[in-house]
Every structure is written in C-alpha cells, then in structure tokens.
Amino acid sequence: MASNGMREEITITAQMIYDCPAEASLQEQGRAIHDDLVRLLDADSTTGVACSGVSIQHLSPEALTYGNAQARQLAERQSDRIIEALSSLYDTDAASDLLIYALCDLRHLADQSNLLFDRHDKNAFQYYRAEKDADDKESMR
C-alpha cells in the first residue's frame, strides 16, 4: 500500500461485549474494561494503522441490554423487604420519611466510600426501568 506520508485521525464507534464480575459496580467494571482495551492496543501493527487511544462513552448492564431484569426478585417483594428493613432502622413508618432518611444515609455512605452518588443513582435508575419494563410486559400477558 503506497502512502504519501500524510496521516489522518479517524474516530470510530464500536460495540464490544465484555464478561465481567457481577458483584463489581458498573464503575469498577468500566475501569476494568478500559484497562483491558488499553492492553489490546497493538503498537506493532503491520497494516499501517494503529489504535492511538480508547475511551468508553457508554456502559450498559446486562439487565438493560437483554431485558434480564427477572434476575432480581419481584419489585413488590423487594419493596416490602426494604420497608421492613428501613422501619426497623428509623423511628417512623411513613414511607416518605423512610425514603428521605435512607437516601440521606446512602449519600453519606457514598461520601465515605468515595463513590459518586449521582452516578450510582443513575445506574440504579437504569435497573429500575429495566425491571419496571419487564413487569409491565409481564402484566400485559
């Protein structure tokens, strides 16, 4: 292949599917995936092209990708369990107060663990939507 010496940077969008430990957070999975992608960079390419960098723009957990929300227990049963657990922790039975206190304490947990609460809340919302969509589809049958 003849080359006149001029080079051009091309940005691509690719979809890759990774197998990751389920107990790791989406953020931890993203870091591990990034490390693996960097490992795969081929600086010794003989094709005249080489990947010069990598960034991850979007991560999609399995529950969203495959609609696999059934892996978690039914939302109603989970909701009952969380109300029971929160009622034993806080001196109230009002669902709105339980939610406020729990969210406040979860923010403290995120701070103490150096986690970004908003990012994990966004990931939780994605799981919630996948579960809700699965429940909606199931109830339409």
Side-chain angles (χ1 to χ4, degrees):
M1 181 167 105
S3 173
N4 63 6
M6 293 179 58
R7 305 294 296 170
E8 181 177 16
E9 181 176 293
I10 306 294
T11 301
I12 68 159
T13 301
Q15 180 176 352
M16 302 179 86
I17 299 170
Y18 267 80
D19 179 62
C20 296
E23 65 275 1
S25 71
L26 197 58
Q27 186 176 11
E28 292 167 331
Q29 291 170 339
R31 277 196 296 270
I33 291 167
H34 183 270
D35 291 348
D36 190 60
L37 288 170
V38 170
R39 179 187 64 82
L40 295 173
L41 294 177
D42 182 7
D44 297 325
S45 177
T46 58
T47 63
V49 298
C51 183
S52 59
V54 63
S55 67
I56 297 174
Q57 300 298 316
H58 176 74
L59 294 172
S60 181
E62 183 176 337
L64 294 178
T65 304
Y66 302 111
N68 190 19
Q70 285 81 10
R72 291 177 38 109
Q73 293 182 354
L74 293 173
E76 296 82 17
R77 188 165 53 207
Q78 286 295 93
S79 179
D80 290 343
R81 290 177 63 199
I82 197 79
I83 287 173
E84 184 179 318
L86 292 176
S87 293
S88 71
L89 289 173
Y90 304 112
D91 190 25
T92 183
D93 287 328
S96 61
D97 289 339
L98 292 173
L99 182 61
I100 290 167
Y101 298 157
L103 288 170
C104 176
D105 288 344
L106 289 171
R107 282 179 170 81
H108 288 303
L109 171 66
D111 290 345
Q112 289 176 350
S113 303
N114 284 334
L115 299 172
L116 297 173
F117 180 86
D118 291 342
R119 176 173 287 159
H120 291 283
D121 183 45
K122 181 180 177 183
N123 293 340
F125 182 72
Q126 291 175 331
Y127 278 104
Y128 164 79
R129 285 298 324 152
E131 291 174 350
K132 184 114 173 80
D133 290 347
D135 285 347
D136 290 348
K137 287 177 187 174
E138 186 66 31
S139 68
M140 293 176 81
R141 288 183 183 183

